[in-house]
Amino acid sequence: METRISGHTRLFALIGSPVGHSGSPAMYNYSFARLGIDAAYLAFDIPVDKVGEGVAALKMLNVGGFNVTMPCKREVLNYVDEITPAAKLIGASNTVVITEEGKLVAYNTDGIGFVKNLQEHGVGVQGKKIVLLGAGGAATAIAVQTALDGAADLKIFNIKDEFYANAEDIAAKLSEAVPACHVEVDDLANAEALKTAIADADILVNATKMGMKPLDDDSLIHPEYLRPDLVVADTVYNPRETILIKEAQKAGCKAAIGGIGMLLWQGVAAFKLYTGQDMPYKEVEEKFF
Ligand code: NAD
């Protein structure tokens, strides 16, 4: 470390709260060292009401860019100069680049990471019919990115909780911004509609907290709804294999894709935005995932 950090070393950062559990510092610092990039990455615990001050401090310190995690992903948009169309539609950013001129540009690489993870498993979204379970942060990023990347049909199912209105909001925004993608919203409790939608879908995505610890002993999907020509993707990565993924494997689904790759690829995309270089993702995956 003492030979790597110099008077010129550029800082990159993670902001949010909590950040202590994050794997991002290890992933980025390893990649900087491996590629000989004179940069370092640190995590800063910043609560949502201090985002403005935090961003001003990072800017003043000439930081090259920073990742944003919960609960600051929406709030940070109030403190940047430019927002990409995807991040604007999602209404949140996980990656802010500070340009040489000092301009803050907000991106969202969560949906990009999801789509790239599917690609790595041989699955494209162009022209596909997708059933998406969930309407929170992860689901919104996936809805927007898959629509922008050419998905033909998106059926969003959510329980009637505080996220349901968000599902309707995403559908309204997408029907204006990406009219080629047909978007509908339904109640997850509507079992008949869910069954029919899955029977007609190419890809089923779980972007709810169901399956994630401590909700890891259940799945929202009856195993009978799964069939060999369906692709099943989960955003949950703890546990690595959710009940849904195990059921999909058992049903012989043509792909059963866990959430860990989405986490890796959103980081790879952010690294590219920060450095213009490709993260050594195979080594990063082996060492840290
Ligand atoms: P969020 O709090 O923004 O949204 C939670 C979603 O889960 C909502 O749609 C809510 O209605 C739904 N939900 C909660 N309890 C439920 C239940 N009992 N039954 C059905 N639906 C329920 O959370 P988020 O940040 O969008 O995270 C959602 C999931 O995505 C989590 O499991 C998280 O692990 C995963 N995630 C993965 C990545 C990745 O990189 N792989 C990134 C972000 C989130």
Side-chain angles (χ1 to χ4, degrees), residues 11 19 87 139 221 224 245 274:
L11 181 64
V19 291
I221 299 303
E224 278 176 12
I245 291 297
Y274 293 148

Side-chain angles (χ1 to χ4, degrees), residues 68 71-78 90-93 166 169 173:
V68 189
C72 304
K73 286 179 163 189
R74 299 181 77 85
E75 180 67 11
V76 75
L77 294 183
N78 296 320
I90 295 165
S93 169
N166 193 35
D169 186 49
K173 279 188 183 150

Side-chain angles (χ1 to χ4, degrees), residues 70 73 110 133-140 157-164 188 206-212 215 220 234-238 258-264 266:
M70 297 308 288
K73 286 179 163 189
D110 286 329
L133 312 177
T140 305
F157 286 85
N158 207 80
I159 54 175
K160 286 269 177 136
D161 64 357
E162 70 273 25
F163 290 95
Y164 196 84
L188 191 55
N206 175 45
T208 71
K209 287 192 189 300
M210 190 58 93
M212 183 174 81
L215 300 174
L220 295 168
D234 211 324
T235 58
V236 175
Y237 54 85
N238 181 21
I260 195 71
M262 175 180 175
L263 190 65
L264 172 69
Q266 62 76 30

Side-chain angles (χ1 to χ4, degrees), residues 153-182:
D153 191 276
L154 203 52
K155 292 205 167 55
I156 305 173
F157 286 85
N158 207 80
I159 54 175
K160 286 269 177 136
D161 64 357
E162 70 273 25
F163 290 95
Y164 196 84
N166 193 35
E168 291 174 321
D169 186 49
I170 306 164
K173 279 188 183 150
L174 283 178
S175 59
E176 198 164 300
V178 195
C181 181
H182 178 74

Side-chain angles (χ1 to χ4, degrees), residues 11-31:
L11 181 64
F12 290 82
L14 169 68
I15 64 168
S17 187
V19 291
H21 64 287
S22 172
S24 293
M27 168 164 98
Y28 288 99
N29 284 316
Y30 175 83
S31 302

Side-chain angles (χ1 to χ4, degrees), residues 196-213:
T196 307
I198 295 173
D200 190 41
D202 302 297
I203 306 173
L204 167 67
V205 183
N206 175 45
T208 71
K209 287 192 189 300
M210 190 58 93
M212 183 174 81
K213 285 185 177 171

Side-chain angles (χ1 to χ4, degrees), residues 50 82 104 119 137 154 187 208 223:
K50 298 272 190 227
E82 215 175 289
L104 276 70
Q119 274 170 8
L154 203 52
D187 184 354
T208 71

